[in-house]
């Protein structure tokens, strides 16, 4: 394969939504991987660990082009700035490279992810958690493709997955992420600590979508993180729910916390996060 092949690949508009999502994340992920093999440098966005590369931009441009041709009536929102208004009441949410810091430094723990959501007016004063139709996550270097959604069971490489554990939170390993600067802010640090100490162990790998795929297939017990943009949340949310798991969003001290796992773990994470004093 060559980078040129991927940049020129045209997908068939007659593919159903699940087939299209799977093809998009495969192509975008392999394009990014091939570009990294050719050498890349990162540009800082908001911090030294929040970076973007030419591969992020190229992969998003590819997905944008294919969606505008294959689903011209749908809206599109991309992490790297893509924004297309639609007329269908549906929107594709693109994360061309989730875990860019990992990607840039040679780790295999990154992916390309996409979700399709219903476009509905946001409710004021409550945590935002859009209804999601489907999600697809592809981890190129391990050749792992998770996909699932409404009316479609969650699968990993076409094999149905068993879903998150129903065990108590105290028996589960939790994947999470919190930027070091937030550990100095009690608004985030207090609820994060309350949830963290309620688990059996913690894992912090640096790609929310890779984490959520593994929550869906039971490799990780549960997951929690605050202030997730839609492209970091919706692909994994769709797959976890399609696998029979639960998800929730809870607002604590002005921050939205995103939770996924089995029903028991999600309930206990919510209790832990909301157990802290409310700060003004």
């Amino acid at each position: 394969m060559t980078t040129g092949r991927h940049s020129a690949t045209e997908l068939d508009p007659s593919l159903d939504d699940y087939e299209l999502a799977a093809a998009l994340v495969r192509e975008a992920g392999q394009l990014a991987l091939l570009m990294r093999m050719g050498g890349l440098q990162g540009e800082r966005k908001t911090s030294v660990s929040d970076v973007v590369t030419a591969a992020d931009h190229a992969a998003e441009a590819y997905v944008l082009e294919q969606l505008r041709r294959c689903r011209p009536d749908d809206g599109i929102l991309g992490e790297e700035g893509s924004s297309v208004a639609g007329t269908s009441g549906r929107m594709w949410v693109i994360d061309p490279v989730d875990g860019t810091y990992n990607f840039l430094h040679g780790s295999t723990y990154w992916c390309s992810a996409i979700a399709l959501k219903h476009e509905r007016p946001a409710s004021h004063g409550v945590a935002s958690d859009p209804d999601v139709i489907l999600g697809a996550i592809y981890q190129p270097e391990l050749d792992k493709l998770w996909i699932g959604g409404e009316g479609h069971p969650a699968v990993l490489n076409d094999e149905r997955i068993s879903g998150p554990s129903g065990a108590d939170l105290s028996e589960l390993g939790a994947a999470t992420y919190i930027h070091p600067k937030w550990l100095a802010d009690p608004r985030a640090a207090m609820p994060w600590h309350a949830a963290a100490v309620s688990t059996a162990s913690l894992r912090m790998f640096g790609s929310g979508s890779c984490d959520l795929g593994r929550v869906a297939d039971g490799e990780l017990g549960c997951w929690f993180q605050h202030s997730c943009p839609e492209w970091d949340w919706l692909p994994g949310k769709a797959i976890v729910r399609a696998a029979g798991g639960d998800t929730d969003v809870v607002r604590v001290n002005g921050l939205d916390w995103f939770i996924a796992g089995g029903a028991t773990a999600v309930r206990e994470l919510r209790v832990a996060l909301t157990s802290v004093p409310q700060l003004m």
Side-chain angles (χ1 to χ4, degrees):
M1 294 182 182
T2 66
T3 301
R5 173 194 178 278
H6 282 281
S7 62
T9 301
E10 289 196 351
L11 301 179
D12 185 349
S14 70
L15 294 171
D16 69 31
D17 289 335
Y18 289 91
E19 293 168 333
L20 179 61
L24 287 168
V25 291
R26 280 191 179 276
E27 292 287 335
Q30 293 195 17
L31 170 59
L33 179 58
L34 289 169
M35 291 183 69
R36 188 182 74 178
M37 292 168 61
L40 286 172
Q41 290 186 332
E43 299 176 10
R44 184 182 296 197
K45 292 165 74 174
T46 62
S47 70
V48 69
S49 62
D50 183 17
V51 293
V52 64
T53 71
D56 296 73
H57 291 299
E60 181 161 307
Y62 168 79
V63 176
L64 175 65
E65 176 188 1
Q66 298 307 308
L67 284 174
R68 295 195 74 174
R69 189 173 56 81
C70 293
R71 297 293 189 272
D73 297 329
D74 291 349
I76 306 169
L77 175 67
E79 179 181 9
E80 305 309 333
S82 298
S83 181
V84 176
T87 59
S88 66
R90 310 187 328 159
M91 175 173 283
W92 295 86
V93 181
I94 308 166
D95 196 348
V97 178
D98 179 49
T100 301
Y101 188 78
N102 291 349
F103 170 76
L104 184 61
H105 288 83
S107 169
T108 64
Y109 207 83
W110 62 275
C111 64
S112 181
I114 196 167
L116 177 61
K117 69 168 186 171
H118 296 287
E119 283 196 279
R120 292 181 180 142
S123 300
H124 297 290
V126 299
S128 176
D129 192 17
D131 293 330
V132 63
I133 300 168
L134 67 82
I137 298 166
Y138 181 59
Q139 193 171 347
E141 292 178 87
L142 299 184
D143 192 29
K144 286 191 169 189
L145 173 64
W146 295 266
I147 193 164
E150 294 180 349
H152 189 292
V155 296
L156 169 58
N157 292 348
D158 297 322
E159 295 290 332
R160 192 161 182 167
I161 54 184
S162 58
S165 169
D168 291 343
L169 182 60
S170 61
E171 299 176 6
L172 296 175
T176 184
Y177 180 77
I178 186 167
H179 192 277
K181 71 178 183 180
W182 283 106
L183 289 173
D185 187 334
R187 292 178 302 156
M190 290 171 62
W192 184 85
H193 181 269
V197 299
S198 302
T199 69
S201 64
L202 293 175
R203 301 290 184 267
M204 196 178 295
F205 297 120
S207 168
S209 286
C210 286
D211 291 344
L212 287 165
R214 286 167 170 80
V215 171
D217 68 29
E219 182 177 336
L220 293 171
C222 58
W223 184 88
F224 65 99
Q225 183 177 328
H226 76 81
S227 305
C228 292
E230 291 187 353
W231 47 78
D232 284 341
W233 171 238
L234 295 182
K237 172 189 172 180
I239 297 166
V240 169
R241 296 190 72 86
D246 199 6
T247 63
D248 200 359
V249 182
V250 57
R251 183 162 292 176
V252 183
N253 292 326
L255 299 174
D256 289 342
W257 290 86
F258 297 76
I259 313 166
T264 299
V266 167
R267 182 177 66 252
E268 292 178 348
L269 279 168
R270 183 183 183 96
V271 169
L273 290 164
T274 58
S275 68
V276 301
Q278 297 300 296
L279 305 176
M280 299 301 291

